[in-house]
Amino acid sequence: MGQFVKSCKGEFMDIVIVGDGKVGFTLASQLDHEGHNGAVIDNKTAVLEKTLNSLDVVGAWQWGHARNLVKG
């Protein structure tokens, strides 16, 4: 883990977070604070809207296990 953190120091990452509960929001908040690009996916629109209004992240309303979620 230490080598990964060391190699990413000073670089920004694009990160997808599936689930906007306590852990997902906390993770999105920390990554946003560090300047990373984040996307949050959740199936509850009210929860997702709160996050999108609080943080500089993009969001998607859908189930995290959807097959089309990972298609480019």
Side-chain angles (χ1 to χ4, degrees):
M1 178 79 176
Q3 288 181 329
F4 176 75
V5 172
K6 193 182 294 184
S7 69
C8 292
K9 189 174 182 180
E11 297 177 20
F12 296 107
M13 297 182 284
D14 297 324
I15 300 167
V16 176
I17 300 166
V18 179
D20 195 13
K22 291 179 183 179
V23 174
F25 180 82
T26 302
L27 181 58
S29 179
Q30 181 64 35
L31 294 169
D32 180 43
H33 177 72
E34 292 176 5
H36 300 288
N37 298 318
V40 179
I41 299 166
D42 201 276
N43 65 334
K44 297 179 183 125
T45 56
V47 174
L48 192 57
E49 280 185 36
K50 183 178 176 184
T51 298
L52 296 178
N53 290 330
S54 303
L55 304 175
D56 185 21
V57 296
V58 296
W61 175 79
Q62 64 182 352
W63 292 96
H65 67 276
R67 288 182 186 215
N68 63 352
L69 182 64
V70 293
K71 290 185 179 178

